Amino acid sequence: MGYVKWAIRGLFWLLVIAFLHYTLPQHDVARITDTYEKRVSPGSNAMFWSNADTGEATDVNVRDVFFVQAFRTDDKPMIYRNEDTGWGWPPYFKFDTSNLQAEASDLISKKNDANPQWVVVRHYGWRNEFLSIYPNAVSIWAVESPDVRIIPWVKIVLLTLLAALYWAIRVRWMRFRKQRIEPKVDEWTDGWA
């Protein structure tokens, strides 16, 4: 019975970590090589795409999505989608897709340029070729070199607050359980032995 309890706890924490990893902002240093627009029809992977009701018609299954092609510092390709998040989840309140696409187009750089233009792409989500999942670019800005160090302050603050909230709830629950529940259980089970 103890193994089942630990397996359920492990699965719960694995899902919490996966949710936070998908939702919290991530930063990639990359070189943008192309930007384009593609008509997509989200199918079984629709949960990884933004809501269609952020300015477009909601009754359409097919929509146009901006994409940004880039190469990271390890020369591996990365493709980002560029969609508005609107008022939905995750709460990035992104309404500037066209502006971001223009900025990305302006920062295009080729590998054999004398001084390639490196950028930092802030995004959320995962890239999975098998499921056709793309991370959503939230912002892009130019940097001097690929050796720039990005400190994820939002992640640090948010994870610290979540850890403090978990600790506060856990301490109060343990105190409540020890003072209220355990005495009642002991009182009910006194005559059982």
Side-chain angles (χ1 to χ4, degrees):
M1 188 65 174
Y3 294 118
V4 173
K5 182 169 68 169
W6 283 106
I8 290 172
R9 284 182 183 175
L11 181 63
F12 171 77
W13 285 113
L14 184 68
L15 290 174
V16 167
I17 290 168
F19 173 78
L20 290 174
H21 187 266
Y22 182 87
T23 306
L24 291 178
Q26 302 170 34
H27 298 88
D28 290 345
V29 178
R31 185 176 40 81
I32 297 174
T33 59
D34 192 19
T35 60
Y36 63 95
E37 184 176 2
K38 181 179 171 184
R39 184 154 290 202
V40 297
S41 177
S44 61
N45 63 351
M47 66 184 272
F48 294 104
W49 293 82
S50 292
N51 294 331
D53 60 355
T54 56
E56 300 109 20
T58 59
D59 58 345
V60 180
N61 290 337
V62 178
R63 61 182 188 239
D64 294 334
V65 177
F66 290 122
F67 287 90
V68 177
Q69 290 179 343
F71 279 87
R72 293 186 295 200
T73 56
D74 58 1
D75 285 332
K76 291 188 178 178
M78 180 60 119
I79 292 86
Y80 304 94
R81 67 187 157 91
N82 180 9
E83 287 189 286
D84 286 337
T85 60
W87 299 102
W89 190 264
Y92 286 98
F93 309 115
K94 181 182 171 203
F95 296 99
D96 64 344
T97 295
S98 297
N99 294 346
L100 188 64
Q101 195 72 5
E103 291 172 17
S105 296
D106 189 41
L107 294 169
I108 289 177
S109 172
K110 298 299 177 189
K111 185 178 189 175
N112 54 4
D113 289 349
N115 289 325
Q117 177 64 62
W118 293 95
V119 298
V120 173
V121 180
R122 178 182 294 141
H123 64 89
Y124 70 90
W126 299 318
R127 173 70 175 118
N128 186 314
E129 292 87 1
F130 181 69
L131 298 174
S132 295
I133 300 171
Y134 303 93
N136 191 7
V138 176
S139 63
I140 297 173
W141 65 91
V143 293
E144 295 297 322
S145 73
D147 301 325
V148 68
R149 181 182 170 123
I150 305 296
I151 299 174
W153 290 110
V154 173
K155 256 192 210 179
I156 292 169
V157 169
L158 192 63
L159 290 175
T160 302
L161 289 174
L162 286 174
L165 179 68
Y166 170 77
W167 176 79
I169 291 171
R170 176 139 174 95
V171 165
R172 280 154 185 78
W173 169 250
M174 297 301 284
R175 191 177 304 146
F176 174 78
R177 191 171 142 190
K178 186 173 184 177
Q179 292 176 355
R180 303 287 181 172
I181 296 175
E182 287 179 6
K184 289 294 181 189
V185 169
D186 289 343
E187 182 180 310
W188 291 337
T189 59
D190 260 352
W192 291 10

